[in-house]
PDB file of all heavy atoms in Angstrom:
ATOM      1  N   LYS A 261      -0.437 -43.978 -53.317  1.00  0.00           N
ATOM      2  CA  LYS A 261      -1.324 -44.096 -54.462  1.00  0.00           C
ATOM      3  C   LYS A 261      -1.253 -45.469 -55.113  1.00  0.00           C
ATOM      4  O   LYS A 261      -1.972 -45.738 -56.072  1.00  0.00           O
ATOM      5  CB  LYS A 261      -0.969 -43.035 -55.511  1.00  0.00           C
ATOM      6  CG  LYS A 261      -1.067 -41.608 -54.993  1.00  0.00           C
ATOM      7  CD  LYS A 261      -0.692 -40.601 -56.066  1.00  0.00           C
ATOM      8  CE  LYS A 261      -0.770 -39.173 -55.549  1.00  0.00           C
ATOM      9  NZ  LYS A 261      -0.404 -38.163 -56.569  1.00  0.00           N
ATOM     10  N   ASP A 262      -0.343 -46.331 -54.612  1.00  0.00           N
ATOM     11  CA  ASP A 262      -0.145 -47.628 -55.231  1.00  0.00           C
ATOM     12  C   ASP A 262      -0.861 -48.753 -54.512  1.00  0.00           C
ATOM     13  O   ASP A 262      -1.062 -49.829 -55.089  1.00  0.00           O
ATOM     14  CB  ASP A 262       1.359 -47.964 -55.284  1.00  0.00           C
ATOM     15  CG  ASP A 262       2.132 -46.919 -56.095  1.00  0.00           C
ATOM     16  OD1 ASP A 262       1.544 -46.367 -57.036  1.00  0.00           O
ATOM     17  OD2 ASP A 262       3.310 -46.678 -55.759  1.00  0.00           O
ATOM     18  N   SER A 263      -1.234 -48.553 -53.235  1.00  0.00           N
ATOM     19  CA  SER A 263      -1.871 -49.618 -52.470  1.00  0.00           C
ATOM     20  C   SER A 263      -3.336 -49.745 -52.860  1.00  0.00           C
ATOM     21  O   SER A 263      -3.942 -48.836 -53.426  1.00  0.00           O
ATOM     22  CB  SER A 263      -1.757 -49.344 -50.973  1.00  0.00           C
ATOM     23  OG  SER A 263      -0.393 -49.251 -50.584  1.00  0.00           O
ATOM     24  N   SER A 264      -3.896 -50.886 -52.510  1.00  0.00           N
ATOM     25  CA  SER A 264      -5.302 -51.140 -52.807  1.00  0.00           C
ATOM     26  C   SER A 264      -6.188 -50.354 -51.845  1.00  0.00           C
ATOM     27  O   SER A 264      -5.733 -49.802 -50.849  1.00  0.00           O
ATOM     28  CB  SER A 264      -5.591 -52.637 -52.684  1.00  0.00           C
ATOM     29  OG  SER A 264      -5.352 -53.072 -51.352  1.00  0.00           O
ATOM     30  N   ASP A 265      -7.475 -50.338 -52.191  1.00  0.00           N
ATOM     31  CA  ASP A 265      -8.415 -49.620 -51.343  1.00  0.00           C
ATOM     32  C   ASP A 265      -8.496 -50.228 -49.949  1.00  0.00           C
ATOM     33  O   ASP A 265      -8.580 -49.523 -48.948  1.00  0.00           O
ATOM     34  CB  ASP A 265      -9.800 -49.610 -51.982  1.00  0.00           C
ATOM     35  CG  ASP A 265      -9.808 -48.845 -53.287  1.00  0.00           C
ATOM     36  OD1 ASP A 265      -8.859 -48.058 -53.502  1.00  0.00           O
ATOM     37  OD2 ASP A 265     -10.747 -49.037 -54.088  1.00  0.00           O
ATOM     38  N   GLN A 266      -8.466 -51.550 -49.862  1.00  0.00           N
ATOM     39  CA  GLN A 266      -8.528 -52.198 -48.564  1.00  0.00           C
ATOM     40  C   GLN A 266      -7.300 -51.881 -47.710  1.00  0.00           C
ATOM     41  O   GLN A 266      -7.399 -51.686 -46.493  1.00  0.00           O
ATOM     42  CB  GLN A 266      -8.661 -53.725 -48.733  1.00  0.00           C
ATOM     43  CG  GLN A 266      -9.986 -54.194 -49.292  1.00  0.00           C
ATOM     44  CD  GLN A 266     -10.045 -54.050 -50.811  1.00  0.00           C
ATOM     45  OE1 GLN A 266      -9.065 -53.663 -51.443  1.00  0.00           O
ATOM     46  NE2 GLN A 266     -11.205 -54.369 -51.383  1.00  0.00           N
ATOM     47  N   MET A 267      -6.128 -51.820 -48.349  1.00  0.00           N
ATOM     48  CA  MET A 267      -4.912 -51.495 -47.603  1.00  0.00           C
ATOM     49  C   MET A 267      -4.932 -50.057 -47.112  1.00  0.00           C
ATOM     50  O   MET A 267      -4.532 -49.755 -45.983  1.00  0.00           O
ATOM     51  CB  MET A 267      -3.680 -51.745 -48.480  1.00  0.00           C
ATOM     52  CG  MET A 267      -2.359 -51.409 -47.777  1.00  0.00           C
ATOM     53  SD  MET A 267      -2.118 -52.318 -46.232  1.00  0.00           S
ATOM     54  CE  MET A 267      -1.859 -53.975 -46.862  1.00  0.00           C
ATOM     55  N   LEU A 268      -5.418 -49.133 -47.941  1.00  0.00           N
ATOM     56  CA  LEU A 268      -5.525 -47.742 -47.504  1.00  0.00           C
ATOM     57  C   LEU A 268      -6.485 -47.603 -46.330  1.00  0.00           C
ATOM     58  O   LEU A 268      -6.252 -46.851 -45.387  1.00  0.00           O
ATOM     59  CB  LEU A 268      -5.983 -46.869 -48.672  1.00  0.00           C
ATOM     60  CG  LEU A 268      -5.003 -46.702 -49.833  1.00  0.00           C
ATOM     61  CD1 LEU A 268      -5.640 -45.877 -50.939  1.00  0.00           C
ATOM     62  CD2 LEU A 268      -3.713 -46.053 -49.362  1.00  0.00           C
ATOM     63  N   ARG A 269      -7.544 -48.376 -46.413  1.00  0.00           N
ATOM     64  CA  ARG A 269      -8.515 -48.373 -45.313  1.00  0.00           C
ATOM     65  C   ARG A 269      -7.882 -48.946 -44.043  1.00  0.00           C
ATOM     66  O   ARG A 269      -8.096 -48.439 -42.932  1.00  0.00           O
ATOM     67  CB  ARG A 269      -9.741 -49.175 -45.724  1.00  0.00           C
ATOM     68  CG  ARG A 269     -10.921 -49.082 -44.770  1.00  0.00           C
ATOM     69  CD  ARG A 269     -12.043 -49.978 -45.258  1.00  0.00           C
ATOM     70  NE  ARG A 269     -13.227 -49.871 -44.428  1.00  0.00           N
ATOM     71  CZ  ARG A 269     -14.173 -48.960 -44.595  1.00  0.00           C
ATOM     72  NH1 ARG A 269     -14.066 -48.077 -45.578  1.00  0.00           N
ATOM     73  NH2 ARG A 269     -15.217 -48.929 -43.793  1.00  0.00           N
ATOM     74  N   ALA A 270      -7.092 -49.996 -44.191  1.00  0.00           N
ATOM     75  CA  ALA A 270      -6.425 -50.610 -43.046  1.00  0.00           C
ATOM     76  C   ALA A 270      -5.383 -49.661 -42.441  1.00  0.00           C
ATOM     77  O   ALA A 270      -5.238 -49.590 -41.217  1.00  0.00           O
ATOM     78  CB  ALA A 270      -5.754 -51.920 -43.470  1.00  0.00           C
ATOM     79  N   LEU A 271      -4.663 -48.931 -43.282  1.00  0.00           N
ATOM     80  CA  LEU A 271      -3.678 -47.969 -42.773  1.00  0.00           C
ATOM     81  C   LEU A 271      -4.357 -46.880 -41.944  1.00  0.00           C
ATOM     82  O   LEU A 271      -3.859 -46.481 -40.883  1.00  0.00           O
ATOM     83  CB  LEU A 271      -2.906 -47.345 -43.947  1.00  0.00           C
ATOM     84  CG  LEU A 271      -1.958 -48.262 -44.708  1.00  0.00           C
ATOM     85  CD1 LEU A 271      -1.350 -47.515 -45.896  1.00  0.00           C
ATOM     86  CD2 LEU A 271      -0.857 -48.782 -43.803  1.00  0.00           C
ATOM     87  N   ASP A 272      -5.478 -46.402 -42.423  1.00  0.00           N
ATOM     88  CA  ASP A 272      -6.197 -45.359 -41.683  1.00  0.00           C
ATOM     89  C   ASP A 272      -6.698 -45.888 -40.346  1.00  0.00           C
ATOM     90  O   ASP A 272      -6.633 -45.203 -39.320  1.00  0.00           O
ATOM     91  CB  ASP A 272      -7.354 -44.854 -42.530  1.00  0.00           C
ATOM     92  CG  ASP A 272      -8.069 -43.684 -41.872  1.00  0.00           C
ATOM     93  OD1 ASP A 272      -7.382 -42.764 -41.387  1.00  0.00           O
ATOM     94  OD2 ASP A 272      -9.315 -43.690 -41.835  1.00  0.00           O
ATOM     95  N   LYS A 273      -7.199 -47.125 -40.318  1.00  0.00           N
ATOM     96  CA  LYS A 273      -7.683 -47.689 -39.067  1.00  0.00           C
ATOM     97  C   LYS A 273      -6.544 -47.947 -38.090  1.00  0.00           C
ATOM     98  O   LYS A 273      -6.681 -47.707 -36.885  1.00  0.00           O
ATOM     99  CB  LYS A 273      -8.434 -48.998 -39.343  1.00  0.00           C
ATOM    100  CG  LYS A 273      -9.794 -48.799 -39.983  1.00  0.00           C
ATOM    101  CD  LYS A 273     -10.523 -50.127 -40.082  1.00  0.00           C
ATOM    102  CE  LYS A 273     -11.904 -49.920 -40.678  1.00  0.00           C
ATOM    103  NZ  LYS A 273     -12.646 -51.206 -40.757  1.00  0.00           N
ATOM    104  N   CYS A 274      -5.413 -48.415 -38.581  1.00  0.00           N
ATOM    105  CA  CYS A 274      -4.264 -48.652 -37.698  1.00  0.00           C
ATOM    106  C   CYS A 274      -3.789 -47.344 -37.063  1.00  0.00           C
ATOM    107  O   CYS A 274      -3.439 -47.307 -35.884  1.00  0.00           O
ATOM    108  CB  CYS A 274      -3.128 -49.292 -38.484  1.00  0.00           C
ATOM    109  SG  CYS A 274      -3.416 -51.020 -38.901  1.00  0.00           S
ATOM    110  N   CYS A 275      -3.779 -46.292 -37.846  1.00  0.00           N
ATOM    111  CA  CYS A 275      -3.411 -44.986 -37.294  1.00  0.00           C
ATOM    112  C   CYS A 275      -4.386 -44.574 -36.189  1.00  0.00           C
ATOM    113  O   CYS A 275      -3.980 -44.043 -35.157  1.00  0.00           O
ATOM    114  CB  CYS A 275      -3.377 -43.947 -38.410  1.00  0.00           C
ATOM    115  SG  CYS A 275      -2.924 -42.295 -37.863  1.00  0.00           S
ATOM    116  N   GLY A 276      -5.674 -44.841 -36.414  1.00  0.00           N
ATOM    117  CA  GLY A 276      -6.657 -44.521 -35.374  1.00  0.00           C
ATOM    118  C   GLY A 276      -6.478 -45.362 -34.123  1.00  0.00           C
ATOM    119  O   GLY A 276      -6.636 -44.854 -32.998  1.00  0.00           O
ATOM    120  N   TYR A 277      -6.127 -46.649 -34.290  1.00  0.00           N
ATOM    121  CA  TYR A 277      -5.891 -47.506 -33.130  1.00  0.00           C
ATOM    122  C   TYR A 277      -4.702 -46.995 -32.312  1.00  0.00           C
ATOM    123  O   TYR A 277      -4.770 -46.912 -31.078  1.00  0.00           O
ATOM    124  CB  TYR A 277      -5.619 -48.947 -33.583  1.00  0.00           C
ATOM    125  CG  TYR A 277      -6.815 -49.638 -34.203  1.00  0.00           C
ATOM    126  CD1 TYR A 277      -6.651 -50.688 -35.097  1.00  0.00           C
ATOM    127  CD2 TYR A 277      -8.109 -49.246 -33.884  1.00  0.00           C
ATOM    128  CE1 TYR A 277      -7.746 -51.328 -35.662  1.00  0.00           C
ATOM    129  CE2 TYR A 277      -9.213 -49.880 -34.445  1.00  0.00           C
ATOM    130  CZ  TYR A 277      -9.018 -50.910 -35.336  1.00  0.00           C
ATOM    131  OH  TYR A 277     -10.103 -51.543 -35.899  1.00  0.00           O
ATOM    132  N   ILE A 278      -3.603 -46.673 -32.990  1.00  0.00           N
ATOM    133  CA  ILE A 278      -2.407 -46.202 -32.288  1.00  0.00           C
ATOM    134  C   ILE A 278      -2.681 -44.884 -31.570  1.00  0.00           C
ATOM    135  O   ILE A 278      -2.254 -44.667 -30.431  1.00  0.00           O
ATOM    136  CB  ILE A 278      -1.238 -46.055 -33.289  1.00  0.00           C
ATOM    137  CG1 ILE A 278      -0.866 -47.406 -33.882  1.00  0.00           C
ATOM    138  CG2 ILE A 278      -0.025 -45.436 -32.617  1.00  0.00           C
ATOM    139  CD1 ILE A 278       0.145 -47.336 -35.002  1.00  0.00           C
TER     140      ILE A 278
END
Side-chain angles (χ1 to χ4, degrees):
K261 301 179 181 180
D262 300 328
S263 301
S264 62
D265 296 342
Q266 291 81 4
M267 179 57 70
L268 292 177
R269 189 183 183 86
L271 291 176
D272 185 46
K273 287 186 178 181
C274 287
C275 180
Y277 292 155
I278 296 172

